Amino acid sequence: MNILVLNCGSSSIKYKLFEMDKKKVLASGGIEKIGMPGSFIKYSMPDGSKKIDELPIPEHTKGVELIFGILTNKEFGVIKSINEIDAVGHRMLHGGAKLTKSSLLTDEVLEIFASCNDLGPLHNPANLKGVNAVKALQPNMPQVGVFDTAFHQTMPDYAYMYALPYEYYEKYGIRRYGFHGTSHRYVSQRVCEFLGVDPKGKKIITCHIGNGGSISAVVDGKCVDTSMGLTPLEGLMMGTRCGDIDPAVIPFLMNHEGISASEMDTIMNKKSGLLGISGKTSDMREIQELIDNGDKRAKLAQQMYYYRVRKYIGSYAAAMGGVDILLFTGGVGENKQNCRETACEGLEFMGIKLDKKKNMEIQGEEAIISAPDSKVTICVIPTDEELMIATDTLKVAFGK
């Protein structure tokens, strides 16, 4: 069976088509700048080369129509007809407290999802555009939503509540929800398969480290805590997000700089993190190049970034009463050896001991990188959110 996975942003669509019998990617690509000048679609050709077509793409329905056209193109398409797509799986951001598992996108589910728009104002409406675009073009095609927040809804109330007046939770749903849930779920399952162990009885810390980053504590295969909160801003320092700060900083800066709440939100989400400290870039690869050339602010940015990863690892080990498996995933976690080494430094007292030589050999592949005498198994597990979405879609839509 063929499953199309869509990840729709406000001005973008990423896609992958999976043949699920062999879990093989048949085609992939993406659209950028929807509704803007210079919009384009980028896609892979059968020989592995990339092609870019610049053309007007005014809205998401036109974008999905273009994707369907590429998939069925007589010259280089991978299927003959759209009818060969059995279902579409969507990455959907904020399911709130009610959407706790992947679901068929019925009118009722979509109504609940739309009610969470205030919690995910940038992403949720964009996700809905993708669903509506498929519905307009293929009204009878099954569609499944895989929610970024769902995996974290097993957190206990004492972990997800903020110490604000309880009425704000009752009125507005103000609490910690967490994100990157599809990735944390995939890698926490996959690491147990890779190691040949049962998730039951295992305490796992999953570190999704990239331009956006979050860490989760997983016990018996279920999330018990995670670093992101009401929005993806809380927790780790990231590429352009500040992560945890004293909340009093916000009114202080608004008063002294004369900026609005919207401007402050932009500063914390888009102008902070690695970019804000280095003053030059949010890309860890470029940060490393700057460090190699003696840039002190880039070095400070990297130290801050890695330090917070280590601090969250320690706090979640304390919260779970120990840790059996520590894993790294995401663009930085999978590929930056010094991130993994620095994150594990000084944690030998709690049984986390890295094999530094092995760690330096591993980039972007599944591997055990802990020392033979480490009490905690340390792993690298590349994430595959799209495969997780496709697998969920197959199961929800067809029971397979």
Side-chain angles (χ1 to χ4, degrees):
M1 300 186 83
N2 296 327
I3 302 294
L4 177 64
V5 173
L6 295 181
N7 182 355
C8 297
S10 57
S11 61
S12 66
I13 306 174
K14 296 177 184 177
Y15 73 89
K16 274 190 181 181
L17 180 64
F18 286 87
E19 192 285 304
M20 293 305 293
D21 290 339
K22 297 180 180 178
K23 295 183 178 179
K24 178 183 177 183
V25 178
L26 299 178
S28 64
I31 296 174
E32 299 288 344
K33 297 186 176 181
I34 296 173
M36 303 178 192
S39 54
F40 64 90
I41 183 166
K42 182 178 181 179
Y43 51 97
S44 299
M45 299 293 283
D47 62 2
S49 63
K50 304 287 185 183
K51 186 175 181 183
I52 298 177
D53 294 337
E54 279 196 37
L55 70 169
I57 308 173
E59 37 72 43
H60 284 68
T61 303
K62 178 63 176 178
V64 172
E65 187 177 10
L66 281 170
I67 292 169
F68 285 170
I70 286 169
L71 294 176
T72 57
N73 185 281
K74 290 183 179 179
E75 180 185 349
F76 53 78
V78 295
I79 54 176
K80 294 180 180 178
S81 165
I82 291 303
N83 293 329
E84 292 181 38
I85 298 175
D86 296 287
V88 177
H90 294 265
R91 182 186 183 188
M92 303 182 79
L93 182 82
H94 214 307
K98 292 183 178 179
L99 297 174
T100 60
K101 61 182 180 180
S102 301
S103 305
L104 201 64
L105 292 176
T106 62
D107 290 342
E108 180 184 3
V109 169
L110 289 172
E111 186 177 344
I112 295 171
F113 183 73
S115 73
C116 299
N117 281 0
D118 283 350
L119 299 173
L122 296 178
H123 296 84
N124 277 29
N127 299 157
L128 287 169
K129 287 179 181 179
V131 176
N132 292 331
V134 173
K135 193 172 183 179
L137 296 166
Q138 294 289 323
N140 297 319
M141 186 172 288
Q143 299 193 72
V144 171
V146 180
F147 307 100
D148 219 25
T149 51
F151 181 61
H152 304 303
Q153 299 317 297
T154 51
M155 287 190 293
D157 54 5
Y158 58 80
Y160 68 67
M161 287 295 294
Y162 290 117
L164 293 167
Y166 196 80
E167 63 186 278
Y168 298 135
Y169 169 65
E170 294 178 306
K171 289 170 68 174
Y172 306 116
I174 302 295
R175 50 158 283 185
R176 299 175 64 244
Y177 290 96
F179 299 88
H180 293 142
T182 306
S183 174
H184 287 292
R185 179 160 60 102
Y186 173 81
V187 295
S188 61
Q189 291 176 5
R190 177 59 198 151
V191 75
C192 291
E193 295 170 0
F194 176 65
L195 296 174
V197 299
D198 190 335
K200 282 284 186 183
K202 290 292 181 287
K203 298 171 181 177
I204 304 172
I205 296 175
T206 56
C207 302
H208 179 112
I209 312 298
N211 196 266
S214 62
I215 297 181
S216 290
V218 181
V219 178
D220 298 331
K222 295 181 179 180
C223 178
V224 296
D225 208 343
T226 194
S227 59
M228 285 181 167
L230 175 73
T231 75
L233 184 60
E234 187 180 357
L236 300 175
M237 176 179 168
M238 305 175 217
T240 62
R241 296 185 184 123
C242 62
D244 295 334
I245 59 170
D246 181 345
V249 170
I250 298 169
F252 180 93
L253 286 178
M254 289 174 67
N255 290 332
H256 283 73
E257 293 286 317
I259 54 180
S260 67
S262 176
E263 289 170 322
M264 190 68 224
D265 186 69
T266 298
I267 289 168
M268 293 187 296
N269 276 287
K270 297 183 179 180
K271 297 181 178 181
S272 299
L274 290 173
L275 176 62
I277 298 299
S278 73
K280 294 176 180 176
T281 182
S282 64
D283 190 308
M284 187 58 80
R285 292 164 295 190
E286 294 174 5
I287 289 286
Q288 188 61 57
E289 290 175 7
L290 290 167
I291 293 170
D292 293 342
N293 289 319
D295 191 303
K296 292 183 179 179
R297 279 176 55 180
K299 184 176 181 180
L300 173 62
Q302 188 183 82
Q303 287 176 323
M304 291 171 64
Y305 183 99
Y306 292 167
Y307 171 73
R308 294 193 183 192
V309 174
R310 183 165 69 245
K311 190 162 69 168
Y312 264 97
I313 291 170
S315 68
Y316 284 164
M320 294 189 295
V323 56
D324 300 303
I325 301 168
L326 170 64
L327 72 86
F328 293 91
T329 193
V332 175
E334 294 169 22
N335 296 294
K336 292 290 290 180
Q337 295 93 339
N338 67 337
C339 169
R340 301 189 297 254
E341 181 173 343
T342 307
C344 293
E345 268 178 10
L347 299 182
E348 290 84 2
F349 75 96
M350 51 190 282
I352 294 175
K353 188 175 181 182
L354 191 72
D355 183 327
K356 293 184 180 181
K357 183 176 182 297
K358 181 68 174 176
N359 178 55
M360 291 304 295
E361 296 169 352
I362 299 303
Q363 186 171 346
E365 59 185 295
E366 293 186 337
I368 298 171
I369 56 172
S370 46
D373 59 342
S374 178
K375 294 179 181 178
V376 177
T377 305
I378 311 169
C379 294
V380 177
I381 302 290
T383 193
D384 197 335
E385 294 171 90
E386 292 87 359
L387 178 58
M388 187 92 262
I389 293 169
T391 302
D392 277 14
T393 300
L394 188 66
K395 184 176 181 180
V396 171
F398 306 105
K400 295 187 177 182

